[in-house]
Amino acid sequence: MSQKPLTYADAGVSIEAGNALVKAIGPLARSTARPGANAELGGFGGFFDLRAAGYSDPLLVAANDGVGTKLKLAIETGRHDGVGVDLVAMCANDLIVQGAEPLFFLDYYATGKLDSGVAAAVVASIAEGCRQAGCALIGGETAEMPGMYSPGDYDLAGFCVGAVERDKVLTGASIAPGDVIFGLSSSGVHSNGFSLVRRIIAEEHWSLDNRLPGEANRTLREVLLEPTRIYVRSLLPTIQERRIKGLAHITGGGLLENIPRVLPRGCHAFIDAGYWTLPEVFLLLQRAGALAPEEMARTFNCGVGMAVILAPEQIDPVMAALRGAGETVFKIGRIEEGPRGCTVSGQVGTWNSPKDWSATHNA
């Protein structure tokens, strides 16, 4: 019985397309080069020289993450030019809270059938995220897996490694009652809670072309797909000067569950939602979904992308430095004696909620 010889391409995988993509994204990787990395692609692994990066007694810190179902909105709307920044941000922001400088990044892009245009746009946005974070894109993997994904779908994962000198690790151990908590403004929803966001959109039959007056009259699509803010460059100098006691990246778990992760025993964070105005997109989601304040505080960042814990005497110099670096900074709470945890309290109007409410999470 004669049979036509099969090839990998017959099974839906094009090695040539993959090789062409690697060649096309080479300049993007090179644009992220930094001391310690040559940012070349194509080998079996990427090298990084810690000595060339200026470290003498470093500890390595690693983080990995994805973008979550925010990718579905990007795919459905054909907007792929920001999700790579989200991918880098979710990892790099997790490193900086430990005092670590992000050094290099690797990505994993998986799809059923490789669309070189989409893949190149995604990798270009990953390279942009790396430039914002100051880390080098030294490698990655593109996986074409027919049958694993619906047509047009893809998934992303990112892996970032950073370093911190052994005597400069940010542990939060010195946090004490009397310290003050400030927030760095988020750029929007960032990359958490999108399964709930998409559920609300579907149930309310919203058009993503609707404009939000309170969000600079941008469309809902633009607001929701705004890339996650990367805080590395603004925070690193003050961390290295040992002015900051603790940082919490506000991701999944929101304010309630992320702030306690950096607190020592005997310290409780009290967050007053009346200190800042909830951005319009969060008010819109809360009203449409009839979301309880507690649900808001443990699902979304609520306008606070990073929590900064300071001793009172460091407030003025740190605020000046962060604002000078382009951050929007505002007080959000304080540290008091109590079980390790966080309480978020709201007021009328700010959260579109009953007059008095309190949500507490103890670690």
Side-chain angles (χ1 to χ4, degrees):
M1 181 178 178
S2 62
Q3 180 178 341
K4 174 188 173 183
L6 293 175
T7 65
Y8 210 1
D10 292 328
V13 179
S14 173
I15 295 175
E16 288 76 14
N19 290 338
L21 177 63
V22 170
K23 184 176 181 180
I25 65 180
L28 297 172
R30 286 190 288 276
S31 74
T32 70
R34 53 151 296 152
N38 60 16
E40 291 290 340
L41 299 180
F44 287 95
F47 285 93
F48 193 92
D49 185 344
L50 281 169
R51 185 176 297 175
Y55 287 89
S56 58
D57 185 24
L59 294 175
L60 293 179
V61 187
N64 72 295
D65 212 332
V67 181
T69 58
K70 186 175 185 177
L71 282 180
K72 292 294 290 183
L73 281 183
I75 292 167
E76 290 165 3
T77 60
R79 294 285 300 274
H80 311 284
D81 55 353
V83 291
V85 177
D86 287 301
L87 185 67
V88 176
M90 298 305 289
C91 298
N93 286 340
D94 276 354
L95 296 184
I96 194 66
V97 300
Q98 295 168 98
E101 175 191 14
L103 299 177
F104 60 86
F105 191 88
L106 299 97
D107 70 279
Y108 176 77
Y109 177 97
T111 186
K113 181 173 178 56
L114 186 62
D115 182 323
S116 295
V118 171
V122 171
V123 176
S125 69
I126 293 172
E128 171 59 25
C130 287
R131 288 190 292 271
Q132 291 182 25
C135 61
L137 178 59
I138 66 170
E141 172 69 9
T142 301
E144 192 174 22
M145 299 185 287
M148 284 288 289
Y149 297 90
S150 299
D153 280 355
Y154 62 86
D155 199 8
L156 290 175
F159 309 85
C160 196
V161 174
V164 56
E165 294 289 4
R166 191 178 302 269
D167 63 347
K168 291 185 178 179
V169 177
L170 196 59
T171 66
S174 64
I175 294 172
D179 290 339
V180 183
I181 311 172
F182 283 81
L184 303 188
S185 179
S186 69
S187 56
V189 184
H190 283 184
S191 294
N192 297 102
F194 270 86
S195 294
L196 180 55
V197 169
R198 292 171 54 246
R199 172 72 177 270
I200 293 171
I201 290 172
E203 291 192 354
E204 295 297 309
H205 304 289
W206 283 345
S207 168
L208 295 178
D209 293 324
N210 289 343
R211 295 192 174 273
L212 302 183
E215 295 282 354
N217 208 35
R218 294 183 298 163
T219 65
L220 184 58
R221 176 190 296 105
E222 291 170 328
V223 171
L224 291 176
L225 289 178
E226 179 72 24
T228 303
R229 187 165 181 82
I230 296 175
Y231 300 98
V232 172
R233 291 185 184 273
S234 56
L235 284 170
L236 194 58
T238 53
I239 292 172
Q240 292 176 337
E241 293 170 358
R242 295 185 172 89
R243 294 184 180 276
I244 290 176
K245 285 192 172 188
L247 293 168
H249 183 201
I250 310 304
T251 56
L255 295 161
L256 275 179
E257 296 187 8
N258 281 292
I259 294 177
R261 295 170 65 180
V262 301
L263 299 181
R265 292 188 180 279
C267 287
H268 194 94
F270 287 88
I271 306 299
D272 186 343
Y275 279 141
W276 77 99
T277 301
L278 199 66
E280 183 66 27
V281 64
F282 295 109
L283 286 171
L284 181 69
L285 292 168
Q286 186 191 27
R287 290 165 183 156
L291 304 179
E294 183 175 2
E295 189 69 19
M296 292 291 295
R298 75 162 16 101
T299 302
F300 299 116
N301 66 61
C302 297
V304 180
M306 186 75 71
V308 184
I309 304 175
L310 303 169
E313 63 270 19
Q314 294 294 342
I315 292 175
D316 288 342
V318 172
M319 292 305 98
L322 292 176
R323 287 171 177 149
E327 299 293 347
T328 300
V329 191
F330 41 89
K331 182 179 179 180
I332 63 172
R334 66 196 185 280
I335 301 294
E336 293 188 5
E337 186 175 352
R340 184 172 62 192
C342 180
T343 296
V344 180
S345 300
Q347 296 179 353
V348 171
T350 306
W351 297 77
N352 188 34
S353 61
K355 183 174 182 180
D356 296 306
W357 66 272
S358 182
T360 297
H361 171 78
N362 289 328

